[in-house]
Amino acid sequence: SHIGIEICEPACIKYTAGSNFTCTDVDAARTVAERTYRAAVELFAMLCQQYDLDPLGDGVIISHREGYARGIASNHGDPEHLWIQLDMGYMMDTFRQAVSSAMEGRTSIMGEAVATSQQMIKYIKAVNPEVPQSVLDMIPLYLSEGIAEGVRGDIAYAQSCLETGNFAFVDTAVTLDQNNFCGMGVIQRGMKGNSFPTPQFGIRAQIQHLKSYATIDPLAGTCVDPRYKWVEKGCAPYVEWLRRLGATEKRRRLDQS
């Protein structure tokens, strides 16, 4: 019924009695405290989004100290004792507010599409008047395949527009005949990536791959994504977090290719 999180403390502090401590490098300790505070805000924002929780609700996010006051935790003063003694200006109320703010303005990968197929067709015709008819014909598949897995199909479509140069396939790693509209399997320059027998299978694999990043929930249909097993499930529930996969994720993909 609860998820407990331990926040790392600076190595330069030494406890003297209870929650009191001495610190040999206050600036370094404050740097660590700020970094862990920001990481905790992002983590709790993700958890609250995933489990549909209001971070400002009573008892949703509590500290060890607050848990003791409620009779559900042992007698500890963290993390407030660290913030107070390092004069960080942080409090649990401001932490909860920071989590709430972090949840705003993010684009969830899971959910219902906002754009319609007509709007997506209108967009691609405007930016690429030479778009092949086969591309126009397959656009509704983004929505139907997205609905099947609970993924926003318009997000997948936007990803395809980015990866294919609005389906012009100029200087892109993939070509139209591959039915790979998201660059799947292109883990280094010069690689062609995966190919699929039909546009529907390519879009289905893309939808499933986005779902693997967005949630720990299993697939609703049979897996056709050849890279599904390599993904750390639920590591990027928001579009904005996909760019944060960074070099570590890229190295892991190379190791597993």
Side-chain angles (χ1 to χ4, degrees), residues 189-239:
R189 186 177 295 276
M191 292 188 68
K192 289 286 290 182
N194 299 115
S195 294
F196 300 92
T198 66
Q200 183 169 20
F201 270 79
I203 293 171
R204 182 174 299 172
Q206 180 182 354
I207 291 287
Q208 292 179 345
H209 204 66
L210 283 172
K211 184 174 183 177
S212 71
Y213 283 119
T215 179
I216 61 174
D217 293 342
L219 295 176
T222 301
C223 182
V224 298
D225 170 13
R227 304 195 63 78
Y228 180 82
K229 62 183 177 181
W230 302 127
V231 178
E232 180 184 349
K233 306 301 183 289
C235 65
Y238 311 106
V239 172

Side-chain angles (χ1 to χ4, degrees), residues 14 19 28 52 69 107 175 194 202 215 223 231 241 253 256:
K14 182 178 180 180
S19 60
D52 194 25
T107 310
T175 54
N194 299 115
T215 179
C223 182
V231 178
W241 286 23
R253 292 188 213 170
Q256 295 167 341

Side-chain angles (χ1 to χ4, degrees), residues 68-96:
Y68 174 71
R70 289 170 177 255
I72 60 173
S74 56
N75 188 8
H76 284 260
D78 51 319
E80 293 98 313
H81 77 294
L82 183 69
W83 298 341
I84 292 170
Q85 293 181 67
L86 291 177
D87 196 24
M88 299 298 298
Y90 298 151
M91 298 180 293
M92 282 304 299
D93 284 342
T94 57
F95 178 80
R96 285 183 278 263

Side-chain angles (χ1 to χ4, degrees), residues 9-247:
E9 296 181 343
C12 52
I13 67 172
K14 182 178 180 180
Y15 284 96
T16 54
S19 60
N20 296 316
F21 59 81
T22 58
C23 181
T24 57
D25 190 335
V26 174
D27 288 339
R30 286 173 176 167
T31 298
V32 172
E34 180 181 5
R35 184 171 66 246
T36 56
Y37 179 90
R38 291 181 178 179
V41 166
E42 292 196 4
L43 174 61
F44 277 87
M46 181 192 72
L47 291 171
C48 286
Q49 183 77 24
Q50 181 174 338
Y51 293 104
D52 194 25
L53 299 173
D54 178 5
L56 302 180
D58 180 56
V60 174
I61 299 176
I62 61 174
S63 68
H64 202 147
R65 175 177 172 273
E66 290 172 330
Y68 174 71
R70 289 170 177 255
I72 60 173
S74 56
N75 188 8
H76 284 260
D78 51 319
E80 293 98 313
H81 77 294
L82 183 69
W83 298 341
I84 292 170
Q85 293 181 67
L86 291 177
D87 196 24
M88 299 298 298
Y90 298 151
M91 298 180 293
M92 282 304 299
D93 284 342
T94 57
F95 178 80
R96 285 183 278 263
Q97 186 59 58
V99 172
S100 179
S101 297
M103 293 172 66
E104 299 173 0
R106 288 179 173 169
T107 310
S108 178
I109 293 172
M110 303 299 292
E112 297 182 4
V114 176
T116 65
S117 58
Q118 290 79 12
Q119 289 173 321
M120 293 190 286
I121 290 171
K122 182 178 180 180
Y123 164 81
I124 199 63
K125 282 184 173 181
V127 297
N128 180 10
E130 304 300 321
V131 61
Q133 183 62 42
S134 62
V135 171
L136 301 179
D137 292 341
M138 74 184 191
I139 285 176
L141 292 172
Y142 283 95
L143 300 183
S144 59
E145 292 294 331
I147 289 172
E149 292 292 350
V151 173
R152 285 188 56 182
D154 52 354
I155 295 297
Y157 175 73
Q159 180 188 35
S160 292
C161 290
L162 177 65
E163 294 290 345
T164 64
N166 288 314
F167 293 96
F169 297 96
V170 176
D171 296 326
T172 57
V174 293
T175 54
L176 179 59
D177 63 327
Q178 288 180 254
N179 296 316
N180 178 352
F181 311 113
C182 64
M184 186 178 295
V186 181
I187 54 179
Q188 59 186 1
R189 186 177 295 276
M191 292 188 68
K192 289 286 290 182
N194 299 115
S195 294
F196 300 92
T198 66
Q200 183 169 20
F201 270 79
I203 293 171
R204 182 174 299 172
Q206 180 182 354
I207 291 287
Q208 292 179 345
H209 204 66
L210 283 172
K211 184 174 183 177
S212 71
Y213 283 119
T215 179
I216 61 174
D217 293 342
L219 295 176
T222 301
C223 182
V224 298
D225 170 13
R227 304 195 63 78
Y228 180 82
K229 62 183 177 181
W230 302 127
V231 178
E232 180 184 349
K233 306 301 183 289
C235 65
Y238 311 106
V239 172
E240 293 78 9
W241 286 23
L242 292 174
R243 70 171 69 96
R244 294 170 36 184
L245 295 176

